[in-house]
Amino acid sequence: MAIVGKYNQKRFLWLRKQWIKRMATVKPSDLLISFELQRTHYALILLGVGAAAQTLYAGHKVMDAREKTFKKNRAIIQEKFGEMHRNEIGDHIKMSASGYPDMGNNIYSMVLPHKAWLMINNAQRCHEQLISRLPILYTACFVSSLCYPKLVLVLLANYITVQSYYILHYNSKGFNRAIGMEETANLIILLLLATSFGSSLKILGVTQKLAKYSPVAWYRRRKLRKMAKTIK
């Protein structure tokens, strides 16, 4: 029995050595070829569509705010800038009823009542924040989901939930009520970026090379040495 046990131990050590060598030579193409969509990835795709839908909804809130601000105060804007527009542009191009190209902080906004000015700016800034985060969000989610799909699913679900309240509070109560949700969303984005960095290292095979220096690997080697001594 001692001979059989010693043989099995040597065999195990040899297989472990071969596995470490193999993982050291793994290329990104080897991992991508064997990659398969899981159920979690389908849920991530749906949540990704949900994040895009949120941005469209925020854009709809901007159009709604334009109806209640620029269009409602069109007579005041025409009185202030109508003659200037006809002299410099001409009658063939009429002034936009929705206030374009004013984005809430240009000359047309100067004549709006303070409440209307706040409304259009809150809606506009909320929409801009969502648009600016979207490319970072999609890139980080895609790279992270290759190795950690379940973690990304949890983070993305929380992000969408926070952004829903963010849109609601920013458009109804202003930035002061939405700042907590904005910082929470930024924190989730940072976590996704950190996860994508770890996923990139794993895909490139860096983590496999560093695995032998980890405390877990050291503990396992120590345990194997003790086992080898007892067999001898």
Side-chain angles (χ1 to χ4, degrees):
M1 292 296 293
I3 296 175
V4 175
K6 187 174 182 180
Y7 171 76
N8 286 338
Q9 183 67 22
K10 288 182 178 180
R11 177 70 176 171
F12 171 75
L13 292 173
W14 180 82
L15 288 172
R16 180 176 173 276
K17 187 176 181 181
Q18 294 300 316
W19 179 81
I20 292 174
K21 286 183 179 180
R22 168 59 183 158
M23 293 308 295
T25 58
V26 169
K27 299 177 182 178
S29 57
D30 297 333
L31 293 173
L32 293 176
I33 290 171
S34 61
F35 175 76
E36 294 182 2
L37 284 175
Q38 304 172 12
R39 290 183 179 180
T40 309
H41 291 108
Y42 294 112
L44 283 172
I45 292 171
L46 290 176
L47 288 179
V49 174
Q54 274 189 327
T55 307
L56 290 175
Y57 176 71
H60 167 72
K61 297 295 287 184
V62 173
M63 296 305 300
D64 186 52
R66 284 185 175 276
E67 290 286 326
K68 296 177 180 178
T69 54
F70 287 113
K71 203 165 186 178
K72 186 177 180 180
N73 296 278
R74 185 180 181 184
I76 301 174
I77 297 173
Q78 286 280 0
E79 182 183 352
K80 180 74 175 178
F81 300 103
E83 185 178 353
M84 181 192 302
H85 181 84
R86 288 190 294 271
N87 292 337
E88 297 187 11
I89 306 299
D91 293 329
H92 62 289
I93 300 177
K94 295 182 179 181
M95 294 177 63
S96 171
S98 299
Y100 288 107
D102 197 311
M103 302 300 286
N105 57 352
N106 292 311
I107 58 172
Y108 293 167
S109 304
M110 293 170 60
V111 298
L112 292 177
H114 185 69
K115 185 177 180 180
W117 179 83
L118 281 175
M119 181 185 294
I120 184 61
N121 272 274
N122 286 338
Q124 193 71 51
R125 299 297 177 244
C126 177
H127 188 219
E128 288 176 2
Q129 282 288 349
L130 265 69
I131 290 176
S132 63
R133 289 197 193 106
L134 210 56
I136 305 172
L137 177 73
Y138 280 155
T139 304
C141 285
F142 173 74
V143 177
S144 302
S145 63
L146 294 175
C147 296
Y148 310 106
K150 292 182 180 179
L151 176 59
V152 178
L153 181 66
V154 173
L155 291 174
L156 186 56
N158 280 279
Y159 176 83
I160 291 176
T161 303
V162 169
Q163 289 295 82
S164 299
Y165 286 102
Y166 177 74
I167 296 170
L168 178 65
H169 284 276
Y170 209 138
N171 282 278
S172 61
K173 300 178 181 179
F175 176 74
N176 290 338
R177 294 294 182 90
I179 187 170
M181 283 153 281
E182 180 172 330
E183 294 304 322
T184 304
N186 289 334
L187 177 61
I188 295 173
I189 291 287
L190 288 174
L191 290 173
L192 283 168
L193 287 172
T195 308
S196 64
F197 180 71
S199 181
S200 302
L201 293 179
K202 191 172 183 179
I203 292 171
L204 294 172
V206 176
T207 55
Q208 289 85 348
K209 292 181 180 179
L210 296 176
K212 58 183 179 180
Y213 301 110
S214 67
V216 176
W218 175 83
Y219 175 77
R220 287 176 179 174
R221 286 195 299 268
R222 185 168 173 270
K223 192 172 181 180
L224 285 172
R225 283 195 295 268
K226 286 184 177 180
M227 289 172 62
K229 289 179 180 179
T230 56
I231 291 172
K232 291 180 181 179

